Amino acid sequence: MKKTLGVLIVLLCATPMIYAQADGIAAQKSSDVVMASNSVARGNVIASGSCGKNVNYELYDDYTLRIFGKGAMSNYDYECYAPWGYGSSWYSYIKSVVIEDGVTRIGAYAFYACTSLTEVIIPNSVKSIGTHAFFSCMALTKIVIPNSVTCIGKSAFQDCSSLVEVNIPDGIETIENSVFSGCISLAHIDIPNSVTCIETGAFFDCSSLTELIIPDNVTTLQGAVFCNCDNLEYVKIGKSITAIDDASFGSSPYAKNLVVEITGETPIAYTSDWFGYFFGQRNVTFRVPETTLDYYRNTEGWSIYKDNFWGYGSNSDITSVGNGLSAMKSETVYDMQGRKVVEMQPNRIYIVNGKKVRK
């Protein structure tokens, strides 16, 4: 009887330990499932460690990099790259980066030259992206930047040559130096109304861009900002621009014809040649408010483009194209709001080569 009682006592005492261990295993598996579904992580951890005061990383054998914790990632530079970064055994193999909620900053040079990176998940907790953070991530085609981000450092996406789709969050005030320079596949970009300054070379060599709307709050375009954007055909410049720096729209001799619509009633001062660049000059037509036409045609500097300026706001410069439309099939046609038109409709006014025409 005593022996039987002893066995029962042992079993009763051991049972909670067994369940506790089982619960621990279940909890661990549950955690793995949550982590996998939230961070798209798979496989075994092949590297891990710290990448910020309260931020850590795990790299899995499918080359998914998970960044998690609270606060800012460390900033790195060209002398001290991230643990998984340039010069490590893994940087050129990383395919996916998942930054989990709680991380507030993507550090400078964090994913520099991760040439196989195709997917990045950024949570709403991130407020800034450091300089050169995604420099030369040549396989990256798309990235969604949450509106929580209010600062994107210089050259952050420079030379992301496959990048087709990226957004600039509404809240960014400055598009910094060379931030999208060399993004040769980027065909469209929306600049939000929050932006007031676009710095030097921000979109340099974005050779797939075809049209661009610069919002009214932008006051400054720095040098070479859209230089070598050879496929750019239409640019609308907002009302607050008063000066544009040298070679902002410089191009090669093979660049497409460009229509520049200047919307401000206050003329833009001629401080430098927007189109001067050692590769050559492009054929440019300017559309300006009728009230500023004489200024642009007769002011020193601008007068070198005298025959390229056309006014809008009246019917004085409208030409009837009648049945001659077929001769202009190869030309780019815009409506009076600056939108591309595929087919001209009768009795409407359009812009062809900077001139108003009526079918």
Side-chain angles (χ1 to χ4, degrees):
M1 179 66 181
K2 288 184 179 180
K3 184 176 180 180
T4 303
L5 184 59
V7 171
L8 287 172
I9 291 171
V10 169
L11 288 172
L12 288 171
C13 291
T15 299
M17 295 178 63
I18 294 170
Y19 278 113
Q21 186 178 9
D23 286 345
I25 294 170
Q28 183 179 353
K29 288 182 178 178
S30 175
S31 175
D32 288 345
V33 170
V34 171
M35 182 270 292
S37 70
N38 286 344
S39 65
V40 202
R42 295 292 187 273
N44 300 313
V45 174
I46 58 175
S48 63
S50 173
C51 57
K53 185 177 180 180
N54 295 302
V55 181
N56 298 293
Y57 74 93
E58 289 181 344
L59 178 64
Y60 297 84
D61 59 5
D62 68 344
Y63 293 106
T64 295
L65 179 64
R66 176 190 175 215
I67 310 290
F68 59 97
K70 301 292 182 183
M73 288 178 62
S74 297
N75 283 321
Y76 303 96
D77 58 37
Y78 61 89
E79 292 182 344
C80 178
Y81 293 102
W84 57 83
Y86 189 74
S88 72
S89 302
W90 312 293
Y91 81 95
S92 62
Y93 297 100
I94 294 173
K95 297 177 181 178
S96 177
V97 169
V98 178
I99 302 167
E100 296 190 355
D101 189 53
V103 177
T104 58
R105 179 181 71 197
I106 298 175
Y109 287 80
F111 310 108
Y112 182 96
C114 289
T115 52
S116 296
L117 182 62
T118 60
E119 180 185 35
V120 179
I121 297 175
I122 303 175
N124 289 324
S125 57
V126 171
K127 294 179 172 59
S128 64
I129 298 174
T131 177
H132 293 84
F134 296 95
F135 182 97
S136 201
C137 292
M138 294 185 291
L140 190 62
T141 60
K142 176 182 178 180
I143 188 164
V144 177
I145 305 172
N147 281 331
S148 58
V149 173
T150 57
C151 178
I152 302 175
K154 66 181 181 179
S155 299
F157 297 95
Q158 183 174 345
D159 290 343
C160 290
S161 55
S162 298
L163 190 63
V164 174
E165 187 176 344
V166 64
N167 64 297
I168 300 174
D170 190 7
I172 294 289
E173 294 184 0
T174 299
I175 300 176
E176 298 196 14
N177 292 1
S178 302
V179 67
F180 296 109
S181 174
C183 294
I184 59 175
S185 299
L186 188 63
H188 177 79
I189 190 75
D190 288 324
I191 300 174
N193 291 326
S194 58
V195 172
T196 59
C197 176
I198 305 177
E199 292 187 346
T200 301
F203 297 93
F204 182 94
D205 207 21
C206 289
S207 53
S208 293
L209 283 177
T210 59
E211 59 182 38
L212 192 66
I213 308 295
I214 300 172
D216 287 342
N217 289 334
V218 175
T219 60
T220 305
L221 292 181
Q222 295 186 358
V225 64
F226 300 106
C227 192
N228 269 22
C229 296
D230 284 0
N231 284 303
L232 200 58
E233 296 180 86
Y234 175 75
V235 176
K236 183 176 182 179
I237 296 176
K239 297 178 180 179
S240 299
I241 294 284
T242 56
I244 295 178
D245 286 353
D246 192 43
S248 290
F249 296 95
S251 62
S252 78
Y254 311 105
K256 290 186 176 181
N257 295 344
L258 176 65
V259 175
V260 177
E261 181 176 339
I262 300 173
T263 61
E265 294 289 344
T266 301
I268 298 174
Y270 186 90
T271 56
S272 60
D273 189 354
W274 298 7
F275 307 99
Y277 191 56
F278 62 86
F279 284 140
Q281 291 183 331
R282 74 199 310 169
N283 185 4
V284 183
T285 299
F286 297 91
R287 293 181 57 219
V288 299
E290 195 78 22
T291 54
T292 65
L293 186 57
D294 286 343
Y295 171 88
Y296 285 113
R297 285 180 172 174
N298 299 301
T299 299
E300 184 178 358
W302 283 125
S303 61
I304 64 175
Y305 300 106
K306 180 175 181 178
D307 295 334
N308 299 66
F309 277 97
W310 299 90
Y312 64 86
S314 77
N315 293 333
S316 61
D317 60 327
I318 298 176
T319 302
S320 177
V321 298
N323 295 325
L325 178 62
S326 59
M328 295 187 297
K329 288 284 188 180
S330 62
E331 302 293 345
T332 303
V333 180
Y334 299 92
D335 65 17
M336 295 302 293
Q337 285 72 47
R339 297 170 297 199
K340 281 187 181 180
V341 174
V342 176
E343 183 177 352
M344 297 172 69
Q345 302 298 319
N347 300 316
R348 293 186 183 179
I349 299 171
Y350 299 92
I351 303 298
V352 180
N353 283 341
K355 299 179 182 180
K356 290 180 183 176
V357 300
R358 188 199 307 272
K359 185 179 177 185

